[in-house]
PDB file of all heavy atoms in Angstrom:
ATOM      1  N   MET A 832      52.366 -40.324 -75.469  1.00 40.00           N
ATOM      2  CA  MET A 832      51.256 -40.417 -76.391  1.00 40.00           C
ATOM      3  C   MET A 832      51.682 -41.283 -77.569  1.00 40.00           C
ATOM      4  O   MET A 832      52.735 -41.071 -78.140  1.00 40.00           O
ATOM      5  CB  MET A 832      50.873 -39.017 -76.869  1.00 40.00           C
ATOM      6  CG  MET A 832      49.708 -39.032 -77.809  1.00 40.00           C
ATOM      7  SD  MET A 832      49.231 -37.419 -78.519  1.00 40.00           S
ATOM      8  CE  MET A 832      49.455 -36.283 -77.221  1.00 40.00           C
ATOM      9  N   GLU A 833      50.883 -42.239 -77.915  1.00 50.00           N
ATOM     10  CA  GLU A 833      51.181 -43.096 -79.052  1.00 50.00           C
ATOM     11  C   GLU A 833      50.984 -42.323 -80.351  1.00 50.00           C
ATOM     12  O   GLU A 833      50.131 -41.446 -80.431  1.00 50.00           O
ATOM     13  CB  GLU A 833      50.246 -44.306 -79.054  1.00 50.00           C
ATOM     14  CG  GLU A 833      50.461 -45.256 -77.903  1.00 50.00           C
ATOM     15  CD  GLU A 833      49.501 -46.413 -77.962  1.00 50.00           C
ATOM     16  OE1 GLU A 833      48.976 -46.717 -79.043  1.00 50.00           O
ATOM     17  OE2 GLU A 833      49.272 -47.015 -76.915  1.00 50.00           O
ATOM     18  N   PRO A 834      51.762 -42.656 -81.382  1.00 47.00           N
ATOM     19  CA  PRO A 834      51.563 -41.980 -82.665  1.00 47.00           C
ATOM     20  C   PRO A 834      50.128 -42.177 -83.140  1.00 47.00           C
ATOM     21  O   PRO A 834      49.591 -43.283 -83.097  1.00 47.00           O
ATOM     22  CB  PRO A 834      52.553 -42.676 -83.596  1.00 47.00           C
ATOM     23  CG  PRO A 834      53.570 -43.283 -82.695  1.00 47.00           C
ATOM     24  CD  PRO A 834      52.852 -43.606 -81.418  1.00 47.00           C
ATOM     25  N   GLY A 835      49.520 -41.094 -83.552  1.00 67.00           N
ATOM     26  CA  GLY A 835      48.179 -41.199 -84.113  1.00 67.00           C
ATOM     27  C   GLY A 835      47.045 -41.043 -83.119  1.00 67.00           C
ATOM     28  O   GLY A 835      45.906 -40.910 -83.516  1.00 67.00           O
ATOM     29  N   SER A 836      47.321 -41.067 -81.813  1.00 83.00           N
ATOM     30  CA  SER A 836      46.222 -41.006 -80.850  1.00 83.00           C
ATOM     31  C   SER A 836      45.517 -39.659 -80.861  1.00 83.00           C
ATOM     32  O   SER A 836      44.304 -39.580 -80.673  1.00 83.00           O
ATOM     33  CB  SER A 836      46.686 -41.372 -79.448  1.00 83.00           C
ATOM     34  OG  SER A 836      47.699 -40.506 -79.013  1.00 83.00           O
ATOM     35  N   ALA A 837      46.255 -38.582 -81.104  1.00 87.00           N
ATOM     36  CA  ALA A 837      45.614 -37.269 -81.216  1.00 87.00           C
ATOM     37  C   ALA A 837      44.717 -37.232 -82.447  1.00 87.00           C
ATOM     38  O   ALA A 837      43.623 -36.651 -82.405  1.00 87.00           O
ATOM     39  CB  ALA A 837      46.662 -36.169 -81.282  1.00 87.00           C
ATOM     40  N   GLN A 838      45.127 -37.883 -83.518  1.00 92.00           N
ATOM     41  CA  GLN A 838      44.305 -37.948 -84.715  1.00 92.00           C
ATOM     42  C   GLN A 838      43.034 -38.750 -84.466  1.00 92.00           C
ATOM     43  O   GLN A 838      41.973 -38.430 -84.996  1.00 92.00           O
ATOM     44  CB  GLN A 838      45.086 -38.549 -85.894  1.00 92.00           C
ATOM     45  CG  GLN A 838      46.158 -37.633 -86.430  1.00 92.00           C
ATOM     46  CD  GLN A 838      47.466 -37.725 -85.659  1.00 92.00           C
ATOM     47  OE1 GLN A 838      47.603 -38.459 -84.694  1.00 92.00           O
ATOM     48  NE2 GLN A 838      48.446 -36.965 -86.092  1.00 92.00           N
ATOM     49  N   VAL A 839      43.131 -39.795 -83.639  1.00 94.00           N
ATOM     50  CA  VAL A 839      41.949 -40.585 -83.291  1.00 94.00           C
ATOM     51  C   VAL A 839      40.966 -39.727 -82.499  1.00 94.00           C
ATOM     52  O   VAL A 839      39.765 -39.732 -82.772  1.00 94.00           O
ATOM     53  CB  VAL A 839      42.340 -41.857 -82.497  1.00 94.00           C
ATOM     54  CG1 VAL A 839      41.113 -42.528 -81.901  1.00 94.00           C
ATOM     55  CG2 VAL A 839      43.098 -42.817 -83.395  1.00 94.00           C
ATOM     56  N   ALA A 840      41.475 -38.969 -81.537  1.00 94.00           N
ATOM     57  CA  ALA A 840      40.604 -38.082 -80.765  1.00 94.00           C
ATOM     58  C   ALA A 840      39.942 -37.055 -81.670  1.00 94.00           C
ATOM     59  O   ALA A 840      38.744 -36.769 -81.537  1.00 94.00           O
ATOM     60  CB  ALA A 840      41.395 -37.395 -79.652  1.00 94.00           C
ATOM     61  N   PHE A 907      36.870 -46.700 -82.435  1.00 95.00           N
ATOM     62  CA  PHE A 907      38.086 -46.039 -81.973  1.00 95.00           C
ATOM     63  C   PHE A 907      38.051 -45.571 -80.527  1.00 95.00           C
ATOM     64  O   PHE A 907      39.094 -45.364 -79.930  1.00 95.00           O
ATOM     65  CB  PHE A 907      38.430 -44.856 -82.881  1.00 95.00           C
ATOM     66  CG  PHE A 907      38.969 -45.280 -84.215  1.00 95.00           C
ATOM     67  CD1 PHE A 907      38.155 -45.273 -85.339  1.00 95.00           C
ATOM     68  CD2 PHE A 907      40.279 -45.690 -84.348  1.00 95.00           C
ATOM     69  CE1 PHE A 907      38.649 -45.663 -86.573  1.00 95.00           C
ATOM     70  CE2 PHE A 907      40.784 -46.078 -85.571  1.00 95.00           C
ATOM     71  CZ  PHE A 907      39.963 -46.079 -86.689  1.00 95.00           C
ATOM     72  N   ARG A 927      41.662 -43.041 -75.284  1.00 91.00           N
ATOM     73  CA  ARG A 927      42.908 -43.159 -74.529  1.00 91.00           C
ATOM     74  C   ARG A 927      44.082 -42.687 -75.367  1.00 91.00           C
ATOM     75  O   ARG A 927      44.223 -43.028 -76.522  1.00 91.00           O
ATOM     76  CB  ARG A 927      43.139 -44.605 -74.098  1.00 91.00           C
ATOM     77  CG  ARG A 927      44.398 -44.748 -73.248  1.00 91.00           C
ATOM     78  CD  ARG A 927      44.472 -46.029 -72.488  1.00 91.00           C
ATOM     79  NE  ARG A 927      43.335 -46.289 -71.626  1.00 91.00           N
ATOM     80  CZ  ARG A 927      43.151 -45.766 -70.415  1.00 91.00           C
ATOM     81  NH1 ARG A 927      44.025 -44.913 -69.943  1.00 91.00           N
ATOM     82  NH2 ARG A 927      42.112 -46.096 -69.702  1.00 91.00           N
ATOM     83  N   LEU A 928      44.926 -41.894 -74.727  1.00 85.00           N
ATOM     84  CA  LEU A 928      46.157 -41.439 -75.398  1.00 85.00           C
ATOM     85  C   LEU A 928      47.293 -42.379 -75.095  1.00 85.00           C
ATOM     86  O   LEU A 928      47.282 -43.095 -74.145  1.00 85.00           O
ATOM     87  CB  LEU A 928      46.511 -40.034 -74.935  1.00 85.00           C
ATOM     88  CG  LEU A 928      45.543 -38.948 -75.376  1.00 85.00           C
ATOM     89  CD1 LEU A 928      46.033 -37.587 -74.897  1.00 85.00           C
ATOM     90  CD2 LEU A 928      45.387 -38.918 -76.880  1.00 85.00           C
TER      91      LEU A 928
END
Side-chain angles (χ1 to χ4, degrees):
M832 181 184 322
E833 293 179 22
S836 59
Q838 289 84 359
V839 169
F907 287 101
R927 183 164 304 279
L928 292 182

